[in-house]
Amino acid sequence: MLAIQGITQVFGGLTALDDVTFTINRNDITGVIGPNGAGKTTLFNIISGIYTPTTGTISLDGRNITKFPPERLAAFGMVRTFQNIELFGQMTVLENVMVGLHTKSRCGIISCAFKMPWHLHEERRIRETAHTWLRFCGIDELADTTAANLPFGKGRLLEIARALALEPQIIFMDEPAAGLNSRETMGLADLIRKIRDRGITVVLVEHDMELVMDVCDRILVLNLGKKLAEGTPREIQENPAVIAAYLGEG
Amino acid sequence: MNLSDQLIQFLLSGFATGSIYALIGLGFSIIYNATGIINFAQGEFVMLGGMVTVFFLTSLHIPLPAAILGAVAITTFVGLLFERLAIRPIRKATPINLVIITIGGSILIRGLAMLIWGKDTHAIPGFSGEEPIMIGNASLLPQHLWIFGMTTLAIIASKVFFNYTISGKAMRACAFNPRAASLIGIDVKRMVLFSFVISSAMGSVAGFIIAPLTMTSYDVGIMLGLKGFCAAIIGGMSSGLGTVLGGIILGVLESLGAGLISSGYKDAVAFIILLLILFIRPQGIFKRAESERV
Amino acid sequence: MKRELVKYLLLVAAAVSMPYFFSDGYMMNVLVFVGINTMLAVALNLLLGFAGQISLGHAGFFGLGAYISGVLTATHQVNPWLAMLIAAIAVSFLAFLIGFPILKLKGHYLAMATLGLGIIIYIVFNEAVDITGGPSGLSGIPNLALGSLVFDNDVKNYCLVWTFTIVTILLAVNLAHSRIGRALRAIHDSEVAARVMGVNVRLLKVQIFALSAFISAVAGSLYAHVMTFAAPASFGFHFSVELVTMVIIGGLGSIYGSLFGATLLTLLPELLRTFQDYDIIIYGLILILVTMFMPGGLVQGIPSLLGALLPKKKEGRG
Ligand SMILES: Nc1ncnc2c1ncn2[C@@H]1O[C@H](COP(=O)(O)OP(=O)(O)O)[C@@H](O)[C@H]1O
Ligand SMILES: [Mg+2]
């Protein structure tokens, strides 16, 4: 569904991504792995419209979306989470998810300011839907907590809940297990499968190999900005180039 | 005077005020490069340079050279205090907080100046008399030469400082990457303090050399500060030649605008240029857009 | 929601009862300015407190509202209500247009650009003497009137201005508790995440800038018709800073806080007559101290400051 074609990203003199080509299949869980600085986050930034690549194209179901800004991609059902959690810190957990429903509501400044009847109706619907997503991610009891005060693991879950509220067709997660303990990581694996079972395509960057090998259908390996390998978890585990890169690193 | 003589006259006086803007602009960019802060109180250092000189001269009857030295010392001390009391203790250094705090500092300094010295405008006699020097049909005051001289001196001094002294190099390292700088043992906090000290000293120089030309009062800091900022923006916030050229461009345009269009709108020229640059080329007119992101 | 309603009703009750408490014209007159400043502070707070975008040029929008309304009525005999409407629409349209390039800027640069914009407007007030009357001001602006009811004394003006103030507060509170208010606060906390959530950050910032300018222009128009006079000195850089101070004192993002900030800063100079021009020293101190030590403004800051001080004393004794 999502085709990444010859993506190159140059920052000043540094080539963060070098001619990366890859395809993400609908309803797969795809993993992107690679050592630190391999360019995984940069790839996500490009796909989610935060950077425009130096060269190359991204297309979604045949439509060229390379230059689309994030807010436009959101309307196409593409959403992401962040490696360094980007919550709306001063807002409550519930409100964070309600912002995720922004594209699912219509009222403009005037009808909000004058509290038109349809605005009240919409507001109620947003609130209820937001609770549904909090329940889905298992953090509904924290609805009224200020997001900045959340423990780290819950913050990661909130980012996922907020992203799901858009009802995306594809979600990108940047290191969702980083900083989680092993019990939380297991919960996360279940959640990721549950998300896929709703028909959402999942792409995740992750360092936790156990998790990646466990949940992913296909894996892309990046190293120093280049595509090193792609394939099923099994193929990747047996790929000599990947083994060399990881051993070389360690 | 015919038109070409007039033009030369405008260019000369534009060059002189432009040099002042350049000095003030350098103050902005030095702090900006060391800390990422645009110091809204920069103009007040300029005001202090002029007003303290006036005070020493007229109230205490101290001879000019000593008065000037005293003014620079006091202004620098105020800059140091400002960093210590208002900048260093900030816990949440978001841009908005920094803007608000430096604005608070600027109106506080201005208010205190008004409290101490009143609202009158003061003049300082020219350092070398008021006898105009003729260049063709255009005339120049000796004070203009002082301005050129002092500005050149200040620029050379800062060039030497940043390129050849340990502290200067350390400050450049901080600007480049504060975390890396602190990892290799540079005291980043001291460098921030340093940048305030240098900028306030530089501002005070601008303040006392321009005072004989334009008079001075407690409230000259806003306009001079903003124009210095404009110079720095034109120059892309460089702490070198860019800002100097920026100041001169601004000074000349302003003087041409005042002479050829309308003197009432003279001050607006600077702000229109400022907005245009910010809208069209926020990286300044000499830099390429990308070079910043490494 | 219930609590919001109670707060609002209390405010309305307080506003309605003021004329019974203060029968003398002086206090009514001061309260007229409290009302106008509250509108301005609320307008600025929508931008600064909610969206996190600073403006140091709001006095300019206020002044444009006053002058457009003033010139249309005093020089061109336009109906004052119509003039108010024209002023508000024209100023918000201007803000909308200039909003696109100006709100691309962030932080310090945005502050400088809005400051520059405010000063350009101020210079025009001074220099376009044929239209504005220059530094000595524009006089002969008529009062507003409803049929035979002319708003020409302090109590009537109070009722006029506070009707607008109360409505402004209501609209702002509504907006704050809506998807727009949440989107604005989201921009404040993380612009990139807001965009990923589908918020059109650029457009929304510009819209709120225009709305803020609209309210400021209405306040300016009211000011002109209440004073029947307008001079550039009321619309300079200092007043922009004063507005920011009101918002900061009341707390960023708190609508009732802005009411408090505007009230305090309007009454303060009245109470401290001896200070006259020196009030800027106090503003400077307030800006620095509140920003450093009370990020939520005075309303939240003083109780929490006391809270932080008291236990320490106990420890000292024990
Ligand atoms: N905005 C940027 N400007 C300059 N360099 C960047 C930028 N973003 C990432 N890089 C560089 O690109 C490389 C890849 O980074 P990143 O994609 O974050 O790696 P990963 O997520 O795989 O650890 C790194 O060397 C990083 O320093
Ligand atoms: Mg990364």
Side-chain angles (χ1 to χ4, degrees):
Chain A
M1 81 188 286
L2 190 83
I4 298 158
Q5 260 301 324
I7 292 291
T8 299
Q9 176 70 298
V10 182
F11 293 117
L14 180 130
T15 308
L17 283 176
D18 190 355
D19 195 20
V20 174
T21 299
F22 187 66
T23 310
I24 291 162
N25 301 323
R26 188 175 294 278
N27 222 4
D28 264 2
I29 299 178
T30 306
V32 179
I33 62 171
N36 270 326
K40 305 176 300 285
T41 299
T42 305
L43 183 64
F44 271 25
N45 283 340
I46 290 172
I47 296 175
S48 57
I50 293 167
Y51 297 162
T52 315
T54 316
T55 60
T57 56
I58 311 278
S59 38
L60 179 69
D61 295 328
R63 181 202 289 266
N64 185 345
I65 55 164
T66 318
K67 296 222 167 92
F68 285 15
E71 57 270 24
R72 184 124 184 248
L73 292 172
F76 282 103
M78 281 179 60
V79 71
R80 67 171 290 184
T81 68
F82 295 87
Q83 181 177 350
N84 310 306
I85 302 185
E86 289 277 348
L87 290 172
F88 306 126
Q90 305 304 309
M91 299 166 71
T92 67
V93 166
L94 183 68
E95 284 173 327
N96 267 267
V97 182
M98 288 168 87
V99 175
L101 286 155
H102 192 80
T103 55
K104 303 258 155 239
S105 47
R106 286 281 151 270
C107 282
I109 290 185
I110 309 264
S111 40
C112 286
F114 287 94
K115 267 203 168 163
M116 296 303 185
W118 55 87
H119 162 254
L120 292 175
H121 181 252
E122 188 179 89
E123 188 74 1
R124 203 172 312 123
R125 182 174 59 76
I126 292 178
R127 189 172 294 272
E128 279 161 16
T129 318
H131 276 297
T132 318
W133 287 113
L134 285 176
R135 252 174 266 130
F136 183 81
C137 294
I139 46 174
D140 196 34
E141 73 282 1
L142 296 169
D144 295 324
T145 315
T146 304
N149 300 334
L150 281 184
F152 199 76
K154 304 289 181 198
R156 290 240 183 255
L157 290 177
L158 174 55
E159 268 219 340
I160 295 174
R162 184 179 70 179
L164 289 175
L166 268 92
E167 291 177 30
Q169 45 172 329
I170 179 164
I171 179 170
F172 295 83
M173 303 185 194
D174 198 348
E175 305 203 8
L180 301 193
N181 61 35
S182 58
R183 200 167 49 84
E184 287 172 327
T185 307
M186 271 166 57
L188 180 70
D190 289 340
L191 181 62
I192 291 174
R193 288 201 195 88
K194 231 166 78 180
I195 294 171
R196 193 256 304 269
D197 292 344
R198 294 185 68 102
I200 299 170
T201 309
V202 179
V203 185
L204 66 145
V205 163
E206 204 25 86
H207 281 301
D208 186 328
M209 281 306 143
E210 212 173 314
L211 176 70
V212 173
M213 296 301 162
D214 181 19
V215 301
C216 290
D217 303 305
R218 263 160 50 80
I219 293 176
L220 164 70
V221 188
L222 292 177
N223 189 26
L224 301 173
K226 289 201 178 63
K227 178 164 94 177
L228 191 65
E230 64 171 286
T232 62
R234 181 175 226 128
E235 287 162 7
I236 296 299
Q237 273 168 325
E238 290 165 358
N239 185 317
V242 176
I243 295 170
Y246 271 84
L247 287 181
E249 229 232 339
Chain B
M1 271 214 279
N2 59 34
L3 188 65
S4 72
D5 286 341
Q6 264 187 339
L7 275 181
I8 293 174
Q9 183 68 59
F10 294 149
L11 283 178
L12 279 176
S13 54
F15 221 78
T17 40
S19 308
I20 299 284
Y21 299 159
L23 265 185
I24 304 169
L26 283 175
F28 273 104
S29 41
I30 288 170
I31 291 184
Y32 179 78
N33 285 324
T35 63
I37 298 172
I38 303 282
N39 175 23
F40 279 77
Q42 188 64 26
E44 306 315 318
F45 298 146
V46 181
M47 176 275 290
L48 283 179
M51 288 301 282
V52 178
T53 308
V54 168
F55 172 72
F56 281 153
L57 274 179
T58 54
S59 303
L60 305 181
H61 305 290
I62 292 173
L64 185 70
I68 287 173
L69 281 181
V72 175
I74 287 186
T75 309
T76 310
F77 182 67
V78 172
L80 188 144
L81 271 187
F82 183 55
E83 197 278 339
R84 263 299 162 80
L85 298 180
I87 304 291
R88 191 172 294 195
I90 301 180
R91 277 167 295 179
K92 251 182 93 186
T94 59
I96 284 203
N97 283 354
L98 289 166
V99 167
I100 291 169
I101 284 183
T102 57
I103 284 193
S106 94
I107 62 177
L108 182 63
I109 295 174
R110 191 180 314 147
L112 290 173
M114 176 169 71
L115 188 67
I116 298 171
W117 297 304
K119 288 182 160 186
D120 299 335
T121 349
H122 304 268
I124 301 181
F127 298 173
S128 309
E130 313 282 347
E131 190 70 35
I133 305 160
M134 299 305 288
I135 302 178
N137 281 329
S139 67
L140 209 59
L141 291 173
Q143 192 64 26
H144 285 126
L145 298 181
W146 274 102
I147 290 178
F148 296 138
M150 292 299 268
T151 307
T152 317
L153 210 67
I155 289 163
I156 293 174
S158 80
K159 201 83 203 160
V160 169
F161 174 76
F162 282 111
N163 288 340
Y164 300 105
T165 68
I166 299 278
S167 305
K169 285 182 189 166
M171 269 175 73
R172 287 209 339 227
C174 286
F176 191 71
N177 185 341
R179 253 195 45 174
S182 79
L183 284 178
I184 60 169
I186 295 173
D187 184 348
V188 176
K189 280 193 179 150
R190 230 187 66 209
M191 292 303 140
V192 171
L193 180 67
F194 241 64
S195 71
F196 272 83
V197 166
I198 297 175
S199 299
S200 50
M202 215 165 223
S204 69
V205 172
F208 73 73
I209 52 174
I210 197 180
L213 280 186
T214 60
M215 317 265 271
T216 188
S217 66
Y218 79 99
D219 63 352
V220 296
I222 313 177
M223 277 296 174
L224 286 173
L226 285 168
K227 288 177 182 175
F229 174 75
C230 184
I233 280 288
I234 297 176
M237 296 313 278
S238 89
S239 26
L241 206 59
T243 297
V244 176
L245 290 178
I248 289 170
I249 290 173
L250 176 62
V252 168
L253 285 179
E254 207 179 71
S255 141
L256 288 176
L260 303 178
I261 305 168
S262 135
S263 65
Y265 284 105
K266 176 179 133 248
D267 287 331
V269 171
F271 298 109
I272 290 169
I273 296 174
L274 174 69
L275 286 184
L276 286 179
I277 299 265
L278 283 175
F279 291 172
I280 301 165
R281 284 187 73 85
Q283 75 275 23
I285 61 176
F286 306 114
K287 266 192 210 163
R288 271 183 299 126
E290 276 265 297
S291 63
E292 206 64 17
R293 308 206 49 148
V294 185
Chain C
M1 281 298 91
K2 283 268 150 47
R3 265 183 49 199
E4 286 302 327
L5 192 64
V6 171
K7 262 199 262 180
Y8 189 69
L9 290 179
L10 279 177
L11 170 70
V12 173
V16 169
S17 60
M18 280 300 159
Y20 301 99
F21 284 121
F22 301 105
S23 46
D24 72 312
Y26 168 71
M27 199 57 205
M28 280 288 110
N29 185 33
V30 173
L31 287 176
V32 165
F33 292 106
V34 171
I36 289 174
N37 288 340
T38 301
M39 286 176 72
L40 291 165
V42 168
L44 183 59
N45 201 352
L46 287 176
L47 189 70
L48 176 59
F50 284 84
Q53 308 300 309
I54 196 165
S55 166
L56 292 173
H58 255 53
F61 295 136
F62 175 54
L64 278 177
Y67 270 107
I68 293 177
S69 214
V71 170
L72 284 178
T73 51
T75 318
H76 302 283
Q77 281 77 43
V78 175
N79 175 295
W81 295 107
L82 182 62
M84 177 186 283
L85 188 67
I86 294 174
I89 290 175
V91 172
S92 60
F93 186 66
L94 174 81
F96 188 78
L97 289 185
I98 200 136
F100 281 100
I102 222 169
L103 290 161
K104 250 200 212 164
L105 303 166
K106 299 215 165 87
H108 302 101
Y109 280 20
L110 176 64
M112 277 292 185
T114 49
L115 172 50
L117 179 67
I119 293 188
I120 292 174
I121 296 174
Y122 177 75
I123 292 174
V124 172
F125 291 158
N126 272 300
E127 297 300 326
V129 180
D130 296 342
I131 304 171
T132 62
S136 52
L138 178 73
S139 51
I141 303 172
N143 286 117
L144 284 157
L146 277 178
S148 60
L149 169 65
V150 181
F151 295 96
D152 58 358
N153 69 27
D154 292 321
V155 176
K156 287 185 203 162
N157 279 330
Y158 172 87
C159 298
L160 170 73
V161 167
W162 274 86
T163 308
F164 277 86
T165 310
I166 292 273
V167 172
T168 305
I169 290 179
L170 178 65
L171 297 184
V173 170
N174 285 347
L175 203 58
H177 292 94
S178 71
R179 74 188 273 272
I180 301 291
R182 284 189 298 269
L184 290 170
R185 284 155 65 209
I187 295 175
H188 194 168
D189 284 349
S190 167
E191 202 167 314
V192 62
R195 294 182 69 194
V196 168
M197 292 302 122
V199 177
N200 189 336
V201 169
R202 184 127 183 255
L203 183 64
L204 189 56
K205 277 186 194 173
V206 173
Q207 284 174 331
I208 215 69
F209 190 60
L211 174 67
S212 185
F214 186 97
I215 301 173
S216 307
V218 171
S221 178
L222 283 172
Y223 175 87
H225 294 298
V226 166
M227 298 284 286
T228 68
F229 174 77
S234 322
F235 312 118
F237 170 60
H238 267 248
F239 192 59
S240 286
V241 173
E242 213 176 309
L243 292 177
V244 172
T245 315
M246 292 174 193
V247 174
I248 299 284
I249 286 182
L252 292 172
S254 158
I255 301 289
Y256 291 97
S258 292
L259 169 70
F260 172 77
T263 310
L264 189 68
L265 278 212
T266 317
L267 292 182
L268 203 63
E270 302 294 330
L271 298 177
L272 308 173
R273 277 276 144 187
T274 44
F275 269 105
Q276 289 184 19
D277 303 322
Y278 303 114
D279 47 7
I280 68 166
I281 299 178
I282 299 187
Y283 298 163
L285 274 178
I286 290 178
L287 281 177
I288 295 180
L289 294 179
V290 173
T291 309
M292 280 209 288
F293 301 112
M294 305 175 189
L298 278 184
V299 188
Q300 285 179 26
I302 287 186
S304 70
L305 196 69
L306 289 179
L309 289 179
L310 288 179
K312 263 188 206 150
K313 271 185 191 156
K314 270 183 208 153
E315 273 167 23
R317 278 195 214 112

